[in-house]
Coordinates of all heavy atoms in Angstrom, one line a residue:
I178 N 0.8 -1.2 0.0 CA -0.1 0.0 0.0 C 0.9 1.2 0.0 O 0.6 2.2 -0.8 CB -1.0 0.0 1.2 CG1 -2.1 -1.1 0.9 CG2 -1.6 1.3 1.4 CD1 -3.0 -1.2 2.1
V179 N 1.9 1.3 0.9 CA 2.7 2.5 0.9 C 3.6 2.6 -0.3 O 4.2 3.7 -0.6 CB 3.6 2.5 2.2 CG1 2.7 2.6 3.5 CG2 4.5 1.3 2.3
S180 N 3.8 1.6 -1.0 CA 4.7 1.5 -2.2 C 3.9 1.9 -3.5 O 4.5 2.6 -4.4 CB 5.3 0.2 -2.4 OG 6.2 -0.2 -1.4
E181 N 2.6 1.5 -3.5 CA 1.9 1.6 -4.8 C 1.0 3.0 -4.8 O 0.7 3.4 -5.9 CB 0.9 0.4 -4.9 CG 1.6 -0.8 -5.3 CD 2.3 -0.7 -6.7 OE1 1.6 -0.3 -7.6 OE2 3.4 -0.9 -6.7
L182 N 0.6 3.5 -3.7 CA -0.2 4.7 -3.7 C 0.6 5.9 -4.3 O 1.7 6.2 -3.8 CB -0.7 5.1 -2.2 CG -1.8 4.4 -1.7 CD1 -2.2 4.8 -0.3 CD2 -3.1 4.6 -2.6
G183 N 0.1 6.4 -5.4 CA 0.9 7.5 -6.1 C 2.1 7.0 -6.9 O 2.8 7.8 -7.5
D184 N 2.1 5.7 -7.2 CA 3.1 5.1 -8.0 C 2.6 5.1 -9.5 O 1.5 5.4 -9.7 CB 3.4 3.7 -7.6 CG 4.8 3.1 -8.1 OD1 5.5 4.0 -8.5 OD2 4.9 2.0 -8.2
K185 N 3.5 4.8 -10.3 CA 3.1 4.8 -11.8 C 2.0 3.8 -12.1 O 1.1 4.3 -12.9 CB 4.4 4.3 -12.6 CG 4.3 4.7 -14.1 CD 5.5 4.5 -14.8 CE 5.5 5.0 -16.2 NZ 6.8 4.8 -16.9
T186 N 1.9 2.7 -11.6 CA 0.8 1.7 -11.8 C -0.5 2.3 -11.3 O -1.5 2.0 -11.9 CB 1.1 0.4 -11.1 OG1 1.4 0.5 -9.8 CG2 2.3 -0.3 -11.8
F187 N -0.4 3.1 -10.2 CA -1.6 3.7 -9.7 C -2.2 4.6 -10.6 O -3.4 4.7 -10.9 CB -1.3 4.4 -8.4 CG -2.5 5.1 -7.7 CD1 -3.3 4.3 -6.8 CD2 -2.8 6.3 -7.9 CE1 -4.4 5.0 -6.2 CE2 -3.8 6.9 -7.3 CZ -4.7 6.3 -6.5
F188 N -1.3 5.6 -11.2 CA -1.8 6.6 -12.2 C -2.2 5.9 -13.5 O -3.2 6.4 -14.1 CB -0.6 7.5 -12.4 CG -0.3 8.4 -11.3 CD1 1.0 8.7 -10.9 CD2 -1.2 9.1 -10.7 CE1 1.4 9.5 -9.9 CE2 -0.9 9.9 -9.6 CZ 0.4 10.1 -9.2
I189 N -1.6 4.8 -13.9 CA -2.1 4.1 -15.1 C -3.5 3.7 -14.9 O -4.4 3.9 -15.9 CB -1.2 2.9 -15.4 CG1 0.2 3.4 -15.9 CG2 -1.7 2.0 -16.5 CD1 1.2 2.3 -16.1
A190 N -3.8 3.0 -13.8 CA -5.2 2.6 -13.6 C -6.2 3.7 -13.5 O -7.3 3.7 -14.0 CB -5.3 1.7 -12.3
A191 N -5.8 4.8 -12.8 CA -6.6 6.0 -12.6 C -7.0 6.7 -13.9 O -8.1 6.9 -14.1 CB -5.9 7.0 -11.7
I192 N -6.0 6.8 -14.8 CA -6.2 7.6 -16.0 C -7.0 6.8 -17.0 O -7.9 7.2 -17.7 CB -4.8 8.1 -16.6 CG1 -4.2 9.1 -15.7 CG2 -5.0 8.7 -18.0 CD1 -2.7 9.5 -16.1
M193 N -6.5 5.4 -17.1 CA -7.3 4.6 -18.1 C -8.7 4.4 -17.7 O -9.6 4.3 -18.6 CB -6.6 3.3 -18.2 CG -5.3 3.3 -18.9 SD -4.7 1.6 -19.4 CE -5.9 1.1 -20.6
A194 N -9.0 4.4 -16.4 CA -10.4 4.2 -15.9 C -11.3 5.4 -16.2 O -12.5 5.3 -16.3 CB -10.4 4.0 -14.4
M195 N -10.7 6.6 -16.5 CA -11.4 7.8 -16.9 C -11.8 7.7 -18.3 O -12.8 8.3 -18.8 CB -10.6 9.0 -16.6 CG -10.4 9.3 -15.2 SD -9.6 10.9 -14.9 CE -8.0 10.6 -15.7
R196 N -11.1 6.9 -19.1 CA -11.4 6.9 -20.6 C -12.1 5.6 -21.1 O -12.9 5.7 -22.0 CB -10.0 6.9 -21.3 CG -9.1 8.2 -21.0 CD -7.9 8.2 -21.9 NE -7.1 9.4 -21.6 CZ -6.1 9.7 -22.4 NH1 -5.8 9.0 -23.4 NH2 -5.3 10.8 -22.1
Y197 N -11.8 4.6 -20.4 CA -12.5 3.3 -20.8 C -13.3 2.6 -19.7 O -13.4 3.2 -18.7 CB -11.3 2.4 -21.3 CG -10.3 3.0 -22.2 CD1 -9.0 3.2 -21.8 CD2 -10.7 3.4 -23.4 CE1 -8.1 3.8 -22.6 CE2 -9.7 3.9 -24.3 CZ -8.5 4.2 -23.8 OH -7.6 4.8 -24.7
N198 N -13.9 1.5 -20.0 CA -14.6 0.7 -19.1 C -13.9 0.4 -17.9 O -12.8 -0.2 -18.0 CB -15.2 -0.5 -19.8 CG -16.1 -1.3 -18.9 OD1 -15.6 -2.2 -18.1 ND2 -17.3 -1.2 -19.0
R199 N -14.3 0.7 -16.7 CA -13.6 0.5 -15.4 C -13.3 -1.0 -15.1 O -12.2 -1.3 -14.7 CB -14.4 1.1 -14.3 CG -14.4 2.7 -14.3 CD -15.1 3.1 -13.1 NE -15.2 4.6 -13.2 CZ -15.7 5.4 -12.3 NH1 -16.4 4.8 -11.3 NH2 -15.7 6.7 -12.3
L200 N -14.3 -1.8 -15.4 CA -14.1 -3.3 -15.1 C -13.1 -3.8 -16.0 O -12.2 -4.7 -15.6 CB -15.4 -4.1 -15.2 CG -16.4 -3.8 -14.2 CD1 -17.7 -4.5 -14.6 CD2 -16.0 -4.1 -12.9
T201 N -12.9 -3.4 -17.2 CA -12.0 -3.9 -18.2 C -10.6 -3.4 -17.7 O -9.6 -4.3 -17.7 CB -12.2 -3.4 -19.6 OG1 -13.5 -3.8 -20.0 CG2 -11.2 -4.0 -20.6
V202 N -10.5 -2.2 -17.4 CA -9.1 -1.7 -16.9 C -8.7 -2.4 -15.6 O -7.6 -2.8 -15.5 CB -9.3 -0.1 -16.6 CG1 -8.0 0.3 -16.0 CG2 -9.5 0.6 -18.0
L203 N -9.7 -2.6 -14.7 CA -9.4 -3.2 -13.4 C -9.0 -4.7 -13.6 O -8.0 -5.1 -13.0 CB -10.6 -3.1 -12.5 CG -10.5 -3.8 -11.1 CD1 -9.4 -3.1 -10.3 CD2 -11.8 -3.9 -10.4
A204 N -9.7 -5.4 -14.5 CA -9.3 -6.8 -14.8 C -7.9 -6.9 -15.4 O -7.0 -7.7 -15.0 CB -10.3 -7.4 -15.7
G205 N -7.6 -6.0 -16.4 CA -6.2 -6.1 -17.0 C -5.2 -5.8 -16.0 O -4.1 -6.4 -16.0
A206 N -5.3 -4.7 -15.2 CA -4.3 -4.2 -14.3 C -4.2 -5.3 -13.2 O -3.0 -5.7 -12.8 CB -4.7 -2.9 -13.6
M207 N -5.2 -5.9 -12.6 CA -5.1 -6.9 -11.6 C -4.5 -8.1 -12.0 O -3.8 -8.9 -11.3 CB -6.6 -7.1 -10.9 CG -7.0 -6.1 -10.0 SD -5.7 -5.6 -8.7 CE -5.2 -7.3 -8.1
L208 N -4.8 -8.6 -13.3 CA -4.2 -9.7 -13.8 C -2.6 -9.6 -13.9 O -1.9 -10.5 -13.5 CB -4.7 -10.1 -15.2 CG -4.1 -11.4 -15.9 CD1 -4.4 -12.6 -15.0 CD2 -4.7 -11.6 -17.2
A209 N -2.2 -8.4 -14.4 CA -0.8 -8.1 -14.4 C -0.2 -8.1 -13.0 O 1.0 -8.6 -12.8 CB -0.6 -6.8 -15.1
L210 N -0.8 -7.4 -12.1 CA -0.2 -7.3 -10.7 C -0.3 -8.6 -10.0 O 0.7 -9.0 -9.2 CB -1.0 -6.2 -9.9 CG -0.9 -4.8 -10.4 CD1 -1.9 -3.9 -9.7 CD2 0.5 -4.3 -10.3
G211 N -1.4 -9.4 -10.2 CA -1.4 -10.8 -9.5 C -0.3 -11.7 -10.1 O 0.4 -12.3 -9.3

C-alpha cells in the first residue's frame, strides 16, 4: 500500500479508468499485478 499509492501503476489505472470501461481496466491491471 505505501509503495503503490501514487506510484506509476496507480496513475495508469486511474487515467485509463477515466477513458475506458472501469471493469476492463481493473481486470487487466489486476491480472498483471497478480
Side-chain angles (χ1 to χ4, degrees):
I178 288 175
V179 297
S180 298
E181 287 298 305
L182 280 178
D184 198 20
K185 195 172 184 179
T186 52
F187 181 90
F188 288 135
I189 288 172
I192 296 171
M193 289 195 68
M195 291 185 297
R196 302 186 179 189
Y197 312 112
N198 183 275
R199 291 180 177 181
L200 289 177
T201 304
V202 173
L203 180 63
M207 280 312 308
L208 180 61
L210 293 171

